[in-house]
Amino acid sequence: MDMVPVVVRSASHVSAYRYLDHRHGTSPRFQVRAKLPFEQQDAKYYQHLEAAVHVVQRACRLCLHVKSSLFSTDANVHQKNDQTPVTVADFGVQALISFELNKLFPSIPLVAEEDSAYLRSRNLAGSVLDAITAIDSPTSKPLTQDDVLEAIDRGGKDAFLFGSEPATYWVLDPIDGTRGFVKAGKALYVVGLALVVEGEIVAGVMGCPNWQEDFSKKSPTELEEVADMLSPSGTIMIAHIGCGTWTKRLNSMPKLPSVWTRCFVDGSNLVQKAHFCIPDSQTWESLPLSSSFNATNNVDDVGDNQVLLLAACCGSLCKYLMVASGRASVFILRAKEKTIIKAWDHAVGMICVHEAGGKITDWSGSEIDLAADQAGRRVIFPFGGVLVTNGCLHHQILEIISHSTTSSL
């Protein structure tokens, strides 16, 4: 990789570094040492994003704490009524983030995945409280089990009734990819938090505690130089409307100072050269692109009529993270009958991809309407499915989808 560093200065005299990355031609990488990588006067929701970053980092520490004890006992893993797994960490993260946001922004409601009914029915509030207090206490006074239950329900389905008017609220997925979280392997999971103002997503944070840097294109010499980074370091990705998408290491080391790096989607402009990811519950053959291309997981042997399908378990937000960071070119999801698509599985990913230069629509090319569920803002209804791309490929893939759909009628 041939990168030329250029030192620049921001208005607040925070050191910044710009790297001209010749692999991407005109897309430079920026690195900044600061709380947030842009000036407060340039970001209307700076304080909201700063608070969100802080609490998501704490939530990631809670996840790591719970995960470390997950395999010593199965008491931390449970099944919800829809047969999806849920852990003490899911509830702990929602309670922790709810506490903090309500303290700082009490007038902004929270739309989140969990409610306390399951905890109450199984008397598990104490376990969640223990998980929260094991990392730190979000308030000045000792928390109680009632505090935990109340905080969780602040984001529950009955907590707030919206209407047809554009609304302002937080959207939280406490752990997207719980199936991955409960696995002993390297399956990814994400804490995702977004701020919606008057119907528009304006800021967001994703924390992925077990994300690992992509070293596949580095030479042996370069790998020696970054040997300390070969273990999963985790990542925090942020986006603010008009300010771009940025990442930094979640778990910093003394030799590796924590810096913000500007993210851009990849530059692929040919479908057959793109890197795809799809939901874990869907197959390539179930998607309309399969009528034009076969898929392979073998990065070293992609045929003329094949595309590369990246393995990425679990959840949707890690796929958005991959597209926004340039590791994947496309994430495509089919809207299946009787399957509800939740807003928290997409909201923060949408702004991260958009600010990195990508595009998100449904399969008809229409923007995703977060207000379609007028009462709760909890469900989205994308026609056909969700298409997330680097932007260059979007129209081409929409045309393939349209042609495939027309041919099958």
Side-chain angles (χ1 to χ4, degrees):
M1 178 174 58
D2 185 12
M3 299 176 68
V4 182
V6 182
V7 180
V8 297
R9 285 277 181 180
S10 66
S12 61
H13 309 293
V14 176
S15 294
Y17 302 87
R18 182 177 66 182
Y19 291 89
L20 302 182
D21 189 341
H22 298 296
R23 292 174 305 167
H24 300 291
T26 59
S27 296
R29 285 180 64 194
F30 294 87
Q31 293 189 328
V32 180
R33 291 181 175 90
K35 277 190 173 181
L36 291 183
F38 35 78
E39 299 296 342
Q40 186 166 356
Q41 61 265 30
D42 297 330
K44 184 175 181 179
Y45 306 100
Y46 187 99
Q47 292 182 332
H48 298 77
L49 185 57
E50 190 175 43
V53 170
H54 178 63
V55 74
V56 168
Q57 287 176 318
R58 285 163 57 194
C60 288
R61 290 203 303 271
L62 186 152
C63 290
L64 291 169
H65 170 75
V66 173
K67 190 172 177 66
S68 67
S69 62
L70 211 56
F71 305 105
S72 60
T73 172
D74 60 4
N76 289 325
V77 183
H78 308 272
Q79 292 283 338
K80 293 191 286 189
N81 291 335
D82 61 2
Q83 301 305 304
T84 57
V86 66
T87 70
V88 165
D90 292 81
F91 294 112
V93 167
Q94 184 158 321
L96 178 68
I97 291 178
S98 176
F99 272 125
E100 188 70 14
L101 296 182
N102 189 60
K103 183 172 64 176
L104 297 174
F105 311 104
S107 64
I108 303 179
L110 173 67
V111 174
E113 182 171 10
E114 310 298 345
D115 59 47
S116 72
Y118 186 94
L119 294 182
R120 294 177 191 272
S121 67
R122 287 160 178 79
N123 197 27
L124 292 171
S127 298
V128 177
L129 177 59
D130 290 343
I132 295 172
T133 55
I135 58 161
D136 62 3
S137 178
T139 65
S140 57
K141 66 177 183 178
L143 299 175
T144 67
Q145 293 186 28
D146 286 341
D147 293 330
V148 168
L149 295 171
E150 181 182 341
I152 292 171
D153 283 338
R154 197 173 292 125
K157 61 181 182 299
D158 299 321
F160 196 87
L161 184 65
F162 294 92
S164 59
E165 295 298 316
T168 297
Y169 53 97
W170 297 98
V171 185
L172 169 67
D173 194 337
I175 299 182
D176 184 60
T178 302
R179 291 188 188 279
F181 180 76
V182 302
K183 290 184 178 181
K186 298 180 180 179
L188 300 175
Y189 61 95
V190 175
V191 177
L193 179 64
L195 176 63
V196 179
V197 175
E198 296 299 312
E200 181 178 21
I201 310 169
V202 299
V205 184
M206 288 194 281
C208 183
N210 62 340
W211 178 265
Q212 184 165 327
E213 303 272 349
D214 183 8
F215 300 110
S216 61
K217 297 179 181 178
K218 289 188 179 294
S219 68
T221 302
E222 289 174 318
L223 285 174
E224 285 182 15
E225 295 174 354
V226 296
D228 290 336
M229 298 171 64
L230 293 178
S231 60
S233 59
T235 193
I236 287 281
M237 175 176 280
I238 67 170
H240 184 291
I241 186 170
C243 296
T245 298
W246 301 75
T247 60
K248 72 172 182 177
R249 291 169 59 88
L250 179 62
N251 308 312
S252 298
M253 303 176 187
K255 293 181 182 179
L256 299 166
S258 181
V259 296
W260 289 107
T261 301
R262 184 77 183 264
C263 293
F264 298 95
V265 295
D266 80 356
S268 298
N269 57 15
L270 295 174
V271 175
Q272 58 267 38
K273 298 295 184 182
H275 295 175
F276 286 77
C277 48
I278 65 176
D280 318 296
S281 61
Q282 299 182 13
T283 64
W284 180 256
E285 289 70 28
S286 71
L287 300 171
L289 273 71
S290 64
S291 63
S292 301
F293 300 96
N294 296 319
T296 178
N297 298 118
N298 189 346
V299 66
D300 297 317
D301 187 24
V302 182
D304 292 338
N305 198 44
Q306 291 182 316
V307 296
L308 181 63
L309 190 59
L310 302 177
C313 177
C314 296
S316 294
L317 290 183
C318 71
K319 279 86 165 177
Y320 280 97
L321 204 159
M322 292 178 72
V323 175
S325 63
R327 190 175 295 189
S329 317
V330 179
F331 167 41
I332 182 169
L333 173 152
R334 176 185 285 278
K336 298 188 294 186
E337 265 188 73
K338 300 181 181 178
T339 299
I340 298 173
I341 301 178
K342 301 296 179 62
W344 48 76
D345 289 330
H346 298 270
V348 64
M350 289 164 61
I351 188 170
C352 286
V353 168
H354 176 78
E355 287 294 321
K359 189 174 180 63
I360 308 96
T361 69
D362 66 14
W363 286 11
S364 73
S366 300
E367 292 188 4
I368 307 298
D369 183 8
L370 291 179
D373 173 15
Q374 291 188 359
R377 298 297 198 274
R378 305 175 70 81
V379 181
I380 58 175
F381 304 95
F383 180 83
V386 177
L387 178 63
V388 182
T389 76
N390 62 3
C392 299
L393 296 166
H394 209 85
H395 182 67
Q396 294 178 56
I397 295 177
L398 285 176
E399 284 192 332
I400 295 173
I401 292 173
S402 176
H403 181 265
S404 175
T405 304
T406 303
S407 300
S408 63
L409 293 179

